[in-house]
Amino acid sequence: MNTFLIRGRVLTFLAEPKAIDDTAAWAYVEDGAVLVRDGKVVASGEYADLFARAGGDVEIADHRPHLVLPGFIDMHLHFPQTQAIASYGAQLLEWLNTYIFVEEQKFASRTHADAVAERFMDELIANGTTTAVAYCSVHPTSVDAYFSAAEARGMRMIGGKVMMDRNAPDALTDTPQQGYDETKALIAKWHGRGRAHYAISPRFAITSTPEQMAMAQALVAEHPDCYVQTHLSENHDEIAFATSLYPQAKDYTDIYARYGLLNERMLLGHCIHLSDREISVLAETSAVGVFCPTSNLFLGSGLFDRDRFDAAGARWSVATDVGAGTSFSMLETMGEAYKVLHLNGQKLTPFNSFYRMTLGNARALGLEDRIGSLHAGADADIVILDSSAKPAMEFRMRTATSLAEELFILQTMGDDRCIAETYVAGKPMKTRAAKCSAAAKRLLETA
Ligand code: GUN
Ligand code: ZN
């Protein structure tokens, strides 16, 4: 049995913080610890209590004075777009056609897919993200590359092959039957294997014919425990095009509703320009809107209206959306989320930001029993945060007087440099990945 203590300032959420002084929503222990055994949290709380409980001679990973939190969860990004971040000057549809549909063709090669999957997983870990929901390319081997790289690191990851049978280059399209058969085979191979979960992934209404949507509907009905992911209402031209392709639908949301795709496992990227009717449909069906602030700013898509979601009782979550999103860092993402909401006169408290990245996103996935908090029995996916990692942060932190202020500094000024360590199922993976890449570099230099 591998038992050890992670020592530091422990912060974990119990509920959604409704205000900056809603102290019942979180547990914070200044001299805290997490007792980990065989990749699971045994308990978290006061260091002295846990040290005594562990019998005294337990191994200690001492991370004082850093913060200890559950690993971050990223609800929407595109693994084949890892090398296409920062593609200049276009809004959604032009950006897809000019850059993304070119880049994704490279994933016909398993070698390329493997190489990018390795970098992708290490980048997530470097940024403290221990679970993510990603689109792969249309090629089934890209899904194999993705889940193999996740499995090698022991990560709980969600993903699936995109289904596209129109409005994309021939090299990136499947057919309704092929999309169904390949998805079915990938579910059989990966869903529930180790920590992998499958997401049925019709890319969006523009790239799927009604026949493919019907196939997606069949897949969802046959695999109710799989996630479903697609894009909704990101950009005005996209909305006009999508609704023109489905003239019977009341609006964009109704396209997905007509194919029975809206349920509590449906993750809908963006959801920026929705009518009140559409938001109420999301609330009724429990589908989850995914707010992607860096992407929405980068593509000039618009401003997510969180208050309308909350007022309607609709569920929402947060994500990077790499590669329209410009950073793998959930800290930077929440820094931009704050600014997007601010532009709409809405406030995002630092506690709500850190809740969203952890327990909030875990709840959106229905995985709060496993990830997103440090309760007994949870997976030991844990991030260690250094609030003074950059000189400018260290200087700013000298005047910080509260935990709220520290968290706000972290999300406003922080990035991967603030991630001192990332534990995946109890294993310290960030330093391990850094050591591996240093060794690989040395090998290259001596070759
Ligand atoms: N809509 C359909 N595909 C995509 C994509 O890859 N990125 C973004 N941001 N929106 C999309
Ligand atoms: Zn996306």
Side-chain angles (χ1 to χ4, degrees):
M1 263 193 316
N2 173 20
T3 304
F4 71 107
L5 271 177
I6 295 173
R7 186 175 187 183
R9 294 184 295 128
V10 175
L11 174 64
T12 186
F13 289 87
L14 311 166
E16 178 179 2
K18 297 289 182 198
I20 203 153
D21 56 356
D22 184 5
T23 52
W26 62 85
Y28 174 65
V29 187
E30 186 78 26
D31 188 3
V34 185
L35 181 60
V36 175
R37 181 174 303 140
D38 296 334
K40 302 266 184 221
V41 173
V42 178
S44 63
E46 293 288 346
Y47 166 75
D49 295 346
L50 292 174
F51 183 70
R53 178 168 166 178
D57 66 346
V58 65
E59 193 188 320
I60 298 166
D62 191 348
H63 290 291
R64 289 175 298 167
H66 299 336
L67 286 163
V68 180
L69 277 89
F72 299 146
I73 301 166
D74 186 344
M75 296 288 290
H76 177 131
L77 75 172
H78 297 257
F79 129 69
Q81 297 174 18
T82 301
Q83 234 178 349
I85 304 174
S87 293
Y88 173 77
Q91 290 214 345
L92 176 64
L93 298 180
E94 186 190 350
W95 173 83
L96 281 173
N97 287 317
T98 310
Y99 302 111
I100 299 309
F101 289 163
V102 177
E103 184 69 14
E104 293 193 1
Q105 292 184 44
K106 297 180 188 166
F107 289 74
S109 153
R110 176 67 195 258
T111 312
H112 181 77
D114 280 334
V116 177
E118 295 291 314
R119 286 299 293 255
F120 176 83
M121 299 300 164
D122 285 344
E123 201 59 50
L124 291 177
I125 287 168
N127 282 283
T129 298
T130 47
T131 289
V133 188
Y135 291 73
C136 302
S137 69
V138 75
H139 315 97
T141 51
S142 75
V143 179
D144 291 336
Y146 173 83
F147 281 126
S148 299
E151 190 172 70
R153 290 160 179 77
M155 298 169 79
R156 186 175 294 285
M157 293 291 285
I158 300 163
K161 135 196 167 73
V162 291
M163 299 160 69
M164 293 203 276
D165 68 341
R166 66 171 165 188
N167 292 320
D170 288 348
L172 283 188
T173 51
D174 51 17
T175 65
Q177 190 62 49
Q178 188 189 351
Y180 174 88
D181 291 342
E182 289 176 351
T183 298
K184 201 97 188 142
L186 289 164
I187 292 171
K189 183 167 182 183
W190 289 109
H191 187 62
R193 171 165 150 180
R195 302 183 80 196
H197 304 253
Y198 198 85
I200 298 162
S201 309
R203 186 179 204 124
F204 64 161
I206 290 177
T207 48
S208 287
T209 59
E211 294 71 34
Q212 182 156 73
M213 285 297 195
M215 287 298 196
Q217 176 170 25
L219 286 164
V220 170
E222 288 159 23
H223 300 280
D225 57 336
C226 284
Y227 293 96
V228 198
Q229 58 179 350
T230 192
H231 297 83
L232 174 63
S233 200
E234 177 176 5
N235 165 290
H236 291 296
D237 292 342
E238 171 219 15
I239 297 165
F241 192 10
T243 50
S244 76
L245 293 170
Y246 289 88
Q248 314 82 346
K250 290 191 192 106
D251 45 41
Y252 198 167
T253 300
D254 194 42
I255 301 173
Y256 300 132
R258 281 167 172 258
Y259 291 96
L261 298 181
L262 300 184
N263 61 33
E264 74 288 352
R265 308 209 121 218
M266 168 55 110
L267 310 173
L268 295 156
H270 309 294
C271 296
I272 298 172
H273 308 286
L274 298 175
S275 67
D276 289 346
R277 194 205 81 81
E278 291 178 282
I279 296 186
S280 68
V281 170
L282 301 191
E284 276 157 30
T285 56
S286 301
V288 179
V290 187
F291 174 23
C292 307
T294 72
S295 164
N296 299 160
L297 293 173
F298 180 72
L299 291 180
S301 301
L303 306 177
F304 180 79
D305 193 343
R306 188 237 10 227
D307 283 1
R308 280 173 74 228
F309 267 70
D310 282 348
R315 301 166 76 209
W316 62 277
S317 61
V318 284
T320 64
D321 190 31
V322 160
T326 49
S327 169
F328 277 91
S329 168
M330 288 301 291
L331 294 175
E332 288 191 286
T333 300
M334 296 319 296
E336 297 308 287
Y338 173 85
K339 295 175 200 168
V340 166
L341 296 182
H342 215 21
L343 279 166
N344 260 339
Q346 301 175 14
K347 276 205 165 56
L348 180 65
T349 70
F351 286 111
N352 205 293
S353 281
F354 279 77
Y355 163 78
R356 288 286 155 190
M357 289 186 260
T358 57
L359 182 58
N361 279 353
R363 284 179 167 178
L365 293 169
L367 287 175
E368 65 272 24
D369 59 330
R370 302 257 52 85
I371 57 173
S373 74
L374 300 174
H375 63 273
D379 297 348
D381 290 344
I382 293 168
V383 63
I384 310 295
L385 295 177
D386 176 358
S387 312
S388 299
K390 292 157 58 176
M393 292 181 78
E394 187 277 326
F395 194 55
R396 173 65 181 85
M397 276 296 293
R398 289 184 204 179
T399 64
T401 56
S402 67
L403 179 60
E405 203 175 348
E406 179 177 4
L407 296 178
F408 194 57
I409 291 168
L410 267 168
Q411 74 171 57
T412 307
M413 302 177 76
D415 56 29
D416 59 316
R417 285 168 284 187
C418 301
I419 310 300
E421 186 55 275
T422 305
Y423 290 90
V424 175
K427 294 203 174 85
M429 296 300 288
K430 180 161 179 172
T431 43
R432 190 177 291 194
K435 273 186 209 142
C436 288
S437 59
K441 244 189 229 151
R442 273 198 302 279
L443 270 178
L444 277 175
E445 278 159 12
T446 54

